[in-house]
Amino acid sequence: MYNVLIIDDEPMIREGLRTLIPWEDFDFNVIDTAKDGQEGFEKYKENEVHLILVDIRMPRMDGITLIETVRENDDQVQFLVLSGYADFSYAQKAIRQNVTGYLLKPVEEEELIEYVKRIKKTLDSKQASNELKASSLPDSRQAFLKELIDSNEDVSYPNLNRDVAGLGLEAKNYQVVLIKCLNQTNIDLEEARLRLTDYIEETWGYLFSRDHYLCILLKDIRPSLVHYNELYELVTNHMKGTNIVMSVSHVFPVIRDIGVEYRNTKARLDDAFYYKESKFLRSDSELFLMAKDQKDNEIHINEFPIHTVTERLYFALEALNEQALKNEIMEAAQTMINMEYSEEQIKTSFIRLLSMVLNKCSVNKPELSETLSDLTADLHKINDKTSMYVLIDYIYDLLFKVISSQNVGDQEGQLKKLVDFIHRHYHENLKLETLAKIFDYNSAYLGKIFKNHTGEYFNTYLDKIRMENAKTLLTEGMKVYQVAEKVGYSNVDYFHNKFKKYVGMSPSKYRRKTP
């Protein structure tokens, strides 16, 4: 913000100029006013002033005298001279005293705004130049590189080659490396930069900080995995206890392109959670899971089907099937990626999903209450995972403990578990193909060994379980359509035919017949 001092012997003009334009919108602040040149000069000495609006004719000390007095020791402050029409020739003398311009009373808002914009550009340029001269060479490089990154590619930079040479930034090719500190909210980037500067600039290039990242401009470094690994190890060794991920840009021959490469590299780093790599990312790095085009799918998902996925994961745990467990976790992750979930949404959804799965297990497996309680307490650690790959591994390891805490047994034991599973889930949409996948069998083979174990084909056995349960529900007075739905039949007529074939009478007759 630049400070403005208004000097005029007419109170209405002083206050009018204070409110004529929204000064703060142009990064200016009217710090004070004065009624004549003498008072104005005293207030100028007491404050840091960047712009003075001064009237030509005033008592005690006029505007010309004030300008000449200030100019004896200060050639930086900007002046805008105020004058009446009759004083124009007098105002020309002021222009020879390095005055930016003059405004004819009454002052027009548009004209003042144009001058203010022009003066701001001048002050900005002088400020940048002064900062560059006042800082050390590393700070000058940092300021220069930040300016290049922020500048529009279409804007010319007439002194680019001179500045590049003067700052020691000449090279045949460059690369940008961005470093992000993971799960660290108290990292002082400037302190980290100062700690690393000597090690980086001795061999690699120039280190600076930007946004929330440490940045390195590599000079004439041949791109290779060996070099990237060396750089990664160097940074981690000097930032002990800090988990980092790096992103490396393309090689570019012209330093003016640093802005484009910085933004592309930053975008990749911001999405680091979704990539396979855990150390450094490049333009050819692969995402852990790619979003699949849902145009070809029959069903378009608008909301994550958490209840359906809960059931499938629970079935996999019931079947003690490790592969099915892995498949279901990956399918859940893929669904979230397809839905363009953010990192936070993915973690939140998995915590909720696993809470529901473990809660379902605790209801049906009270013997595992201690294990399930410990696993539930560990769900919050999902928030600490820095990549999708690590997150999926953690979720699998966590749920696998449910399987490993149970006795898997031989094939006979597996078939007993399958039968028990059917008795507990007969009301759901059970299919032999689905159960074969869950219990890790070929469906045809499972059908064969199931018949050998039970003496009946799978569908026959399932219908029998459903019908026996339907008989019980009918005797309790439940309506036929309610019973059909309760035992797993969405079509009442189909249930009616099944029941009549199995029992020998219709459901309604059986309900009336039962005392």
Side-chain angles (χ1 to χ4, degrees):
M1 193 75 73
Y2 298 112
N3 294 332
V4 180
L5 176 62
I6 299 173
I7 307 171
D8 196 289
D9 59 336
E10 296 183 48
M12 289 185 63
I13 291 180
R14 290 199 300 270
E15 292 307 310
L17 288 171
R18 184 196 287 271
T19 58
L20 181 61
I21 66 171
W23 289 95
E24 291 186 359
D25 289 356
F26 305 100
D27 285 338
F28 285 85
N29 175 41
V30 178
I31 57 167
D32 212 342
T33 63
K35 64 179 179 297
D36 57 45
Q38 186 64 47
E39 183 183 9
F41 184 67
E42 294 303 319
K43 291 186 175 182
Y44 158 79
K45 290 190 295 182
E46 294 170 1
N47 298 279
E48 180 183 13
V49 179
H50 303 94
L51 170 61
I52 297 176
L53 274 69
V54 58
D55 191 16
I56 286 288
R57 294 192 181 274
M58 295 180 294
R60 295 206 295 171
M61 181 188 289
D62 62 21
I64 298 296
T65 306
L66 171 68
I67 294 169
E68 291 172 345
T69 305
V70 170
R71 280 287 179 251
E72 288 177 2
N73 297 300
D74 187 350
D75 62 353
Q76 297 296 313
V77 66
Q78 304 289 302
F79 282 96
L80 281 178
V81 174
L82 308 173
S83 71
Y85 183 81
D87 295 323
F88 174 67
S89 60
Y90 193 48
Q92 287 181 313
K93 296 180 181 179
I95 295 174
R96 289 195 290 271
Q97 293 292 333
N98 192 18
V99 168
T100 301
Y102 76 96
L103 294 165
L104 195 64
K105 294 181 181 180
V107 176
E108 295 288 338
E109 178 182 353
E110 292 79 10
E111 186 178 15
L112 178 56
I113 287 175
E114 285 303 312
Y115 270 122
V116 166
K117 287 181 178 179
R118 192 184 312 165
I119 290 169
K120 182 182 183 302
K121 287 184 179 179
T122 301
L123 292 172
D124 285 347
S125 178
K126 287 185 177 181
Q127 185 180 57
S129 178
N130 291 337
E131 288 176 353
L132 199 61
K133 291 176 182 177
S135 63
S136 63
L137 184 58
D139 290 339
S140 297
R141 288 184 184 130
Q142 175 157 310
F144 174 74
L145 294 173
K146 286 184 176 181
E147 184 181 353
L148 278 184
I149 289 171
D150 288 339
S151 65
N152 190 311
E153 289 79 12
D154 296 332
V155 176
S156 63
Y157 204 120
N159 300 318
L160 179 63
N161 292 335
R162 185 196 66 190
D163 290 343
V164 167
L167 294 171
L169 293 173
E170 292 176 307
K172 294 179 181 178
N173 59 69
Y174 307 89
Q175 274 185 290
V176 173
V177 177
L178 300 188
I179 301 168
K180 181 180 182 180
C181 300
L182 302 172
N183 296 337
Q184 299 284 334
T185 57
N186 59 346
I187 291 293
D188 187 329
L189 283 183
E190 187 58 20
E191 180 183 332
R193 182 182 76 85
L194 294 173
R195 194 189 319 157
L196 283 165
T197 294
D198 289 342
Y199 302 101
I200 296 296
E201 297 194 353
E202 182 179 351
T203 305
W204 297 91
Y206 298 108
L207 182 66
F208 59 103
S209 59
R210 172 101 185 131
D211 300 324
H212 303 294
Y213 311 100
L214 285 175
C215 315
I216 305 172
L217 178 65
L218 300 182
K219 287 176 51 182
D220 295 327
I221 301 295
R222 184 169 59 85
S224 71
L225 293 177
V226 173
H227 286 142
Y228 298 147
N229 276 312
E230 286 179 4
L231 183 57
Y232 182 88
E233 295 300 325
L234 173 64
V235 174
T236 52
N237 287 341
H238 289 88
M239 294 183 68
K240 296 187 184 299
T242 303
N243 191 11
I244 68 167
V245 62
M246 289 173 24
S247 184
V248 185
S249 77
H250 288 106
V251 175
F252 53 100
V254 181
I255 199 170
R256 190 72 173 84
D257 294 336
I258 189 174
V260 174
E261 294 298 334
Y262 173 88
R263 285 182 281 278
N264 291 339
T265 307
K266 178 181 178 296
R268 189 160 52 248
L269 189 59
D270 288 342
D271 289 337
F273 176 77
Y274 302 97
Y275 283 85
K276 289 181 180 179
E277 288 80 357
S278 58
K279 288 185 177 181
F280 52 81
L281 305 173
R282 299 172 296 165
S283 58
D284 59 349
S285 293
E286 294 182 6
L287 293 166
F288 176 62
L289 288 174
M290 293 286 292
K292 294 181 179 178
D293 189 356
Q294 299 188 63
K295 291 180 180 178
D296 298 331
N297 296 347
E298 294 182 3
I299 301 175
H300 294 271
I301 300 175
N302 296 318
E303 184 178 350
F304 182 69
I306 192 165
H307 296 288
T308 301
V309 178
T310 298
E311 289 296 318
R312 292 206 300 258
L313 276 173
Y314 176 72
F315 287 169
L317 293 174
E318 280 274 84
L320 308 178
N321 189 329
E322 300 173 40
Q323 188 58 51
L325 180 64
K326 289 180 181 178
N327 293 343
E328 294 299 341
I329 293 171
M330 285 297 293
E331 189 171 333
Q334 182 67 66
T335 300
M336 294 181 200
I337 292 295
N338 291 346
M339 296 176 69
E340 299 182 351
Y341 268 26
S342 67
E343 177 181 345
E344 182 180 356
Q345 286 176 306
I346 290 171
K347 290 177 177 178
T348 301
S349 296
F350 266 123
I351 289 174
R352 185 178 171 215
L353 173 63
L354 267 62
S355 296
M356 294 171 65
V357 171
L358 294 176
N359 184 61
K360 193 174 179 66
C361 288
S362 66
V363 171
N364 296 311
K365 298 177 182 294
E367 70 278 9
L368 300 179
S369 60
E370 187 174 345
T371 298
L372 296 171
S373 178
D374 290 342
L375 297 178
T376 301
D378 284 340
L379 289 181
H380 70 94
K381 295 179 182 177
I382 284 175
N383 287 317
D384 300 331
K385 306 311 168 190
T386 56
S387 74
M388 190 76 160
Y389 178 81
V390 173
L391 175 62
I392 295 300
D393 264 4
Y394 177 76
I395 291 171
Y396 170 73
D397 289 342
L398 189 146
L399 290 181
F400 180 71
K401 291 176 182 177
V402 179
I403 293 177
S404 61
S405 63
Q406 302 174 75
N407 180 24
V408 176
D410 55 13
Q411 185 182 91
E412 189 67 18
Q414 285 283 72
L415 287 171
K416 287 180 181 179
K417 289 183 181 296
L418 174 57
V419 171
D420 178 62
F421 184 92
I422 294 171
H423 278 265
R424 285 186 285 113
H425 300 281
Y426 66 88
H427 56 284
E428 299 179 26
N429 184 26
L430 297 184
K431 295 181 179 180
L432 183 63
E433 292 77 11
T434 304
L435 294 176
K437 180 182 177 183
I438 292 173
F439 283 84
D440 202 20
Y441 282 101
N442 174 275
S443 60
Y445 178 69
L446 179 60
K448 181 179 179 180
I449 61 174
F450 182 86
K451 186 175 186 302
N452 291 338
H453 180 75
T454 63
E456 294 177 296
Y457 291 108
F458 170 78
N459 288 333
T460 304
Y461 189 86
L462 178 60
D463 284 339
K464 182 177 78 172
I465 299 301
R466 286 174 169 174
M467 292 305 113
E468 289 300 322
N469 280 277
K471 287 163 64 178
T472 301
L473 294 173
L474 287 168
T475 59
E476 293 174 354
M478 193 175 287
K479 296 184 183 300
V480 174
Y481 76 88
Q482 293 175 321
V483 173
E485 185 178 348
K486 277 281 186 182
V487 298
Y489 295 101
S490 57
N491 188 304
V492 178
D493 291 336
Y494 183 72
F495 166 68
H496 185 280
N497 294 333
K498 279 280 184 181
F499 189 90
K500 187 174 183 180
K501 182 177 180 181
Y502 181 79
V503 180
M505 65 180 73
S506 69
S508 55
K509 185 175 182 180
Y510 182 86
R511 182 169 175 269
R512 290 194 302 270
K513 179 175 176 294
T514 305

